[in-house]
Amino acid sequence: MASGPTGRPATIYDVAARAKLSIATVSRVLQGTGPVSAKARARVDQAAQELNYVPLRAARSLAVQRHEAHGLVLPDLAGPFYGDLLMGYERWAGEHGQSVVITVTHGNPDPRRSVMDLAGRVDGIVVHGNALDLPTVQGLRKAGVPVVLIAHPPATGCDSVRSESAASAELLTTRLLDHGRSRLQFVGDPASSYDVSERYAGFAKAHELRGLQVPKPVRVPLTEEAGRAVAEKVLKATERPDGLVCANDELALAVLMVLAGRGVGVPGEVVVTGWDDVMAARYVSPGLTTVRQPMAELGRVAAERLHERVTGSRTRARNDVLATELVLRASCGTNTGDAPQ
């Protein structure tokens, strides 16, 4: 739990004492009601963060009862990835009598406060990727909140569930290099998430093992708009890359559509690959070569791991790495003799 002066859970009184403000002022800040100066708000926020303060209803519920609810913190809800993840999570939770409360941090001016408030309404929290910074995750753990991380490197005291990325990316890149592609580009920002950094690491390793210079990544967000912009730059380049290894299918599909619309042959002139194996990857022409990760299974396993920690059936942290699968289709030009998948 949050740590008060005597080692007990921190209370609103401890926050007020630390901030040197009245209980009424602290209450208005924490509840978001009534006028409060920016200076007072900053003092309360700092005191609450230093004490890892969680609203009293959370401390009480964690001590004597359960809400039968999970908190799921996501960076965003856009794109097909999160739909499959949520489907897997909600299905498991529903079968086991758990409701799911979702918080999205993208565009949230104060995600830490939102998540600490969420902790007061649920039994534990699942955090996806970079939806929260590590200090906030650690604050939840210090406050006694069970935490499971998805697509995130392991952190002390937390369970983690992620898909394998580096080896699959190396395998895919190796296949392209072995089929004569010598000017590959990795499309996606490795700094944006742990998963993307692992995918770029695999891409880089495939080059390094052949004594080749590792191309710098094309640092763009994993969005359709970014994919279109990348394709336009490829079209204008004096020396085009002969392959684009995209960090997700949304980028890759947008690239495919722009190149096809401008008469660029895929895979003849440029090969294009993605990651995730969303439904559309099977139906575009040419079919998109990608890496299938078990998105619904990620959600299911995360829900199960959180429930284990909430109920006390397991106390030691567990780190699950789920297998991925290279799916060869026509867009990579290397699947001759392979049946389309």
Side-chain angles (χ1 to χ4, degrees):
M1 304 302 296
S3 179
T6 62
R8 56 171 169 70
T11 68
I12 191 173
Y13 300 97
D14 299 320
V15 175
R18 177 69 64 95
K20 295 183 171 61
L21 294 168
S22 70
I23 295 294
T25 299
V26 173
S27 178
R28 286 198 296 272
V29 172
L30 296 175
Q31 298 297 323
T33 59
V36 181
S37 71
K39 185 176 180 180
R41 185 178 300 279
R43 284 164 62 180
V44 171
D45 286 344
Q46 182 176 350
Q49 185 166 355
E50 290 173 355
L51 293 168
N52 291 307
Y53 172 76
V54 175
L56 182 60
R57 61 185 182 275
R60 183 183 299 117
S61 66
L62 288 167
V64 300
Q65 67 179 21
R66 295 210 302 269
H67 294 285
E68 305 300 338
H70 292 185
L72 186 53
V73 182
L74 303 174
D76 208 334
L77 284 174
F81 174 90
Y82 295 109
D84 288 344
L85 180 76
L86 284 170
M87 186 182 303
Y89 199 105
E90 294 244 7
R91 181 177 295 144
W92 192 96
E95 290 172 353
H96 293 80
Q98 307 297 307
S99 58
V100 181
V101 183
I102 300 170
T103 292
V104 175
T105 59
H106 179 71
N108 186 327
D110 193 351
R112 183 187 182 280
R113 176 178 292 178
S114 298
V115 170
M116 285 302 192
D117 181 69
L118 174 65
R121 296 181 282 129
V122 298
D123 299 317
I125 288 179
V126 172
V127 180
H128 183 276
N130 58 357
L132 294 178
D133 60 21
L134 190 56
T136 300
V137 170
Q138 291 169 335
L140 288 169
R141 286 296 307 126
K142 290 176 183 176
V145 180
V147 177
V148 175
L149 305 172
I150 300 179
H152 191 285
T156 302
C158 302
D159 293 312
S160 68
V161 183
R162 65 189 190 277
S163 294
E164 185 283 317
S165 289
S168 295
E170 181 187 350
L171 178 65
L172 171 60
T173 306
T174 296
R175 188 176 182 99
L176 299 179
L177 292 171
D178 285 349
H179 281 74
R181 301 294 169 165
S182 59
R183 300 187 309 280
L184 297 177
Q185 285 186 347
F186 181 90
V187 183
D189 187 356
S192 66
S193 75
Y194 178 69
D195 275 354
V196 177
S197 70
E198 287 288 283
R199 291 165 199 172
Y200 181 66
F203 173 87
K205 185 177 180 181
H207 284 80
E208 290 166 351
L209 289 175
R210 281 159 179 72
L212 301 173
Q213 183 176 353
V214 179
K216 292 182 179 180
V218 180
R219 296 181 181 272
V220 295
L222 310 187
T223 64
E224 180 183 352
E225 294 77 12
R228 289 198 297 264
V230 167
E232 292 291 345
K233 286 185 178 180
V234 167
L235 290 168
K236 296 174 184 175
T238 54
E239 184 179 24
R240 290 179 183 174
D242 57 12
L244 298 175
V245 178
C246 299
N248 76 346
D249 286 348
E250 196 167 347
L251 281 170
L253 290 167
V255 167
L256 273 180
M257 292 299 97
V258 172
L259 295 183
R262 303 285 284 274
V264 176
V266 178
E269 296 177 64
V270 182
V271 302
V272 179
T273 69
W275 198 286
D276 287 335
D277 195 28
V278 300
M279 183 182 296
R282 298 166 228 168
Y283 298 110
V284 292
S285 181
L288 179 64
T289 289
T290 185
V291 176
R292 179 182 297 148
Q293 64 168 327
M295 294 174 285
E297 182 71 0
L298 278 172
R300 187 199 70 77
V301 173
E304 184 175 5
R305 295 292 172 263
L306 185 60
H307 191 63
E308 290 169 355
R309 295 301 288 268
V310 167
T311 60
S313 64
R314 179 175 50 80
T315 56
R316 297 187 62 181
R318 175 168 173 170
N319 300 310
D320 292 278
V321 181
L322 307 186
T324 53
E325 177 187 357
L326 178 59
V327 180
L328 297 172
R329 299 191 180 100
S331 74
C332 70
T334 74
N335 64 332
T336 304
D338 296 319
Q341 299 184 52

